[in-house]
Amino acid sequence: MVKKDPHRELKNAFGRYTTGVTVVSCLDDGGNPCAITVNSFASVSLSPPLVLWSIEKTASTFELFMASPDYAVTVLRSDQVDISQRFAQHGGRGLDPSEFDVWDSGCPILKDRLAGFDCKITERHRAGDHVILIAEVVSFDSKDGQPLVYFASNYAALS
């Protein structure tokens, strides 16, 4: 018997808002990289430069991000669906050192990216079944290209 998702209609409504797709990463207490695909990334402030994203309390990487003082954000390009899907899987491991750069925080930032942000966490806010992680941007870059976007539970292209 298939269990009905009691939140499906709300998820469908939320899905009507187009978002970008990012990979957010940190280091575990052994210095090993972990990452998760995120579409809740947003800018908050220019002065100081602040960003945020939210993580579900049941995410496999939840405790790692709660313990980490930093995170890095990689904004994905339109041709990086495979990377998005890879880090959307339970576990968030499997980053090879040849795939990423390391900036001040030590958190991995994927070499192939549209933009990257190295961040120091300043606040965590519990909000329902998620925690919002606000951080100060300490380093960043951006490159030319088309973004990977997500709409109605599917990847989409800008026209």
Side-chain angles (χ1 to χ4, degrees), residues 2-159:
V2 176
K3 185 178 176 183
K4 183 178 177 182
D5 182 351
H7 304 289
R8 177 45 45 206
E9 288 185 32
L10 181 57
K11 288 177 183 178
N12 289 346
F14 285 154
R16 295 304 181 257
Y17 181 70
T18 303
T19 65
V21 182
T22 66
V23 170
V24 180
S25 58
C26 70
L27 299 174
D28 68 15
D29 58 3
N32 302 303
C34 68
I36 186 171
T37 298
V38 169
N39 71 343
S40 60
F41 174 73
S43 62
V44 175
S45 170
L46 292 174
S47 182
L50 299 174
V51 296
L52 67 74
W53 69 284
S54 61
I55 186 170
E56 190 172 17
K57 293 176 183 176
T58 59
S60 62
T61 55
F62 179 77
E63 293 302 327
L64 299 174
F65 281 101
M66 290 304 98
S68 179
D70 309 292
Y71 62 76
V73 178
T74 300
V75 178
L76 298 181
R77 295 187 322 253
S78 61
D79 63 345
Q80 294 180 302
V81 170
D82 58 328
I83 292 172
S84 173
Q85 291 174 334
R86 180 171 142 203
F87 294 108
Q89 302 300 314
H90 192 74
R93 303 292 181 159
L95 270 168
D96 185 274
S98 67
E99 294 180 287
F100 60 84
D101 292 325
V102 176
W103 294 349
D104 295 334
S105 72
C107 298
I109 299 173
L110 294 172
K111 287 182 179 180
D112 294 327
R113 62 184 174 268
L114 193 57
F117 300 90
D118 199 26
C119 305
K120 180 156 206 56
I121 297 173
T122 59
E123 300 176 53
R124 290 181 175 89
H125 296 279
R126 295 193 179 275
D129 58 3
H130 281 67
V131 171
I132 302 163
L133 294 98
I134 300 173
E136 184 168 357
V137 175
V138 295
S139 300
F140 66 94
D141 73 356
S142 66
K143 303 175 181 185
D144 291 334
Q146 288 294 311
L148 182 59
V149 296
Y150 202 68
F151 174 77
S153 299
N154 290 293
Y155 297 99
L158 294 179
S159 56

